[in-house]
Amino acid sequence: MIPFISPAFADGAVPAGPSMMGQLIMLGGFVLIFWLLIWRPQSKRAKEHKNLIAGLNKGDEVVTTGGILGKVTNSTEEFVTLQVADNMELNFQKASVAATLPKGTIKAIK
């Protein structure tokens, strides 16, 4: 007997691994978990943001991704103009609008 070979391998027995069907079920489980935990919620958030941007109207109060509060004064296909203070308007890409706020939020903060 060779001293460096395990007795299990010395007999010529091949250890049994998982079957092909078991591997496919495991792969399917990982895909299902990935879809439920990552892809589905992300696509839901993207759809909500797209609807938010499409529904921007003059007079809406919004907050940008940078944290700037403002009231929508003008809206084009790609850009939105926000009044952030008296006599001060800034242009932003519509994609940078993070959320709409209830009416009167800006007055309540000032």
Side-chain angles (χ1 to χ4, degrees):
M1 180 171 202
I2 302 175
F4 297 109
I5 296 179
S6 168
F9 292 115
D11 293 339
V14 178
S19 67
M20 182 67 142
M21 185 59 88
Q23 288 179 352
L24 288 176
I25 290 172
M26 186 81 94
L27 179 64
F30 282 129
V31 169
L32 179 66
I33 289 170
F34 178 79
W35 182 75
L36 286 174
L37 296 178
I38 298 173
W39 187 77
R40 187 172 162 248
Q42 179 63 29
S43 65
K44 188 176 179 181
R45 279 191 296 270
K47 185 177 180 181
E48 289 173 356
H49 189 254
K50 182 178 177 184
N51 290 337
L52 168 85
I53 290 172
L56 285 178
N57 295 320
K58 186 175 180 178
D60 287 346
E61 295 180 3
V62 298
V63 62
T64 66
T65 54
I68 298 174
L69 298 172
K71 185 181 279 190
V72 176
T73 58
N74 189 18
S75 180
T76 63
E77 190 172 319
E78 286 189 38
F79 294 94
V80 64
T81 303
L82 301 181
Q83 180 181 5
V84 295
D86 294 334
N87 299 324
M88 180 178 281
E89 293 184 344
L90 300 174
N91 293 320
F92 292 92
Q93 288 182 330
K94 277 190 172 181
S96 68
V97 173
T100 58
L101 302 170
K103 299 277 185 194
T105 302
I106 295 175
K107 281 188 179 181
I109 294 173
K110 287 183 181 181

